[in-house]
Amino acid sequence: MPKQSGFDALDARIIRALDRHPGASVLALARELGVARNTVHARLTKLESEEMLAPESRRLDATALGYPLTAFVALSLSQNAADEAYALLAELAQVVEVHSTTGDADLLVRVVAKDTSDLHRVTRAMLDLTGVTRTSTTVSLSEVVPYRLSRILDAIAEGDEPAVGR
């Protein structure tokens, strides 16, 4: 889990520059931002060491990899086998994200699949895992607002607090 420490406007500006130019060198970023190369390098090193940067594979679109279908599977767990279920879910390649939740289900699992038959196979495999007692699947028809932190980063870079509706 990332540490929440001293992320500031310059860090936000560096990340936004990387969003615009993912392959940019430290020198190119420094020139674009008007700061010293060593400063950019030190900031990136700090962000990496504090686990604030997600793996670069998060940039990939599952559709480009042959998995155009996204679904969200709500899982109910047997509480005495929850840890085992977590570990087993992590082993399923098409499970791309898992959140522990409140409400009717214990976990919300984001999966990707090649088609509905593939999704059925994946959800059946999840139901067969030790500790999983029930599943409920919702297929995503389209991604309306993709995962993003850009507006929050913009506000931090400007020294503002993000506001609703901005």
Side-chain angles (χ1 to χ4, degrees):
M1 179 137 200
K3 301 172 188 171
Q4 294 185 2
S5 64
F7 189 90
D8 64 14
L10 180 56
D11 294 325
R13 289 177 55 217
I14 291 169
I15 298 303
R16 292 299 286 142
L18 277 173
D19 280 350
R20 287 188 298 276
H21 312 287
S25 68
V26 171
L27 181 58
L29 293 170
R31 285 182 179 150
E32 178 180 340
L33 299 171
V35 297
R37 180 187 58 80
N38 287 341
T39 300
V40 173
H41 184 266
R43 293 297 184 104
L44 287 171
T45 299
K46 176 192 77 151
L47 292 171
E48 287 172 358
S49 71
E50 293 179 356
E51 298 177 350
M52 293 183 72
L53 297 177
E56 291 185 12
S57 63
R58 294 261 329 237
R59 294 180 186 168
L60 293 172
D61 183 338
T63 299
L65 300 175
Y67 295 85
L69 193 148
T70 297
F72 298 91
V73 184
L75 297 181
S76 295
L77 301 177
S78 170
Q79 297 306 307
N80 60 352
D83 289 338
E84 186 173 359
Y86 299 158
L88 293 169
L89 281 168
E91 295 298 317
L92 297 176
Q94 288 167 277
V95 169
V96 296
E97 193 171 18
V98 180
H99 294 266
S100 179
T101 60
T102 62
D104 292 335
D106 298 301
L107 298 176
L108 185 61
V109 181
R110 182 175 166 199
V111 300
V112 295
K114 294 178 180 183
D115 52 33
T116 55
S117 295
D118 190 34
L119 175 62
H120 186 252
R121 184 188 59 75
V122 172
T123 57
R124 295 286 303 190
M126 291 168 57
L127 190 54
D128 288 342
L129 296 177
T130 301
V132 175
T133 60
R134 188 172 62 85
T135 67
S136 175
T137 303
T138 302
V139 174
S140 171
L141 298 177
S142 67
E143 183 177 63
V144 178
V145 177
Y147 179 84
R148 76 222 169 120
L149 294 174
S150 57
R151 293 186 67 186
I152 293 173
L153 287 170
D154 289 344
I156 294 169
E158 307 265 333
D160 294 333
E161 186 64 28
V164 176
R166 273 186 45 195

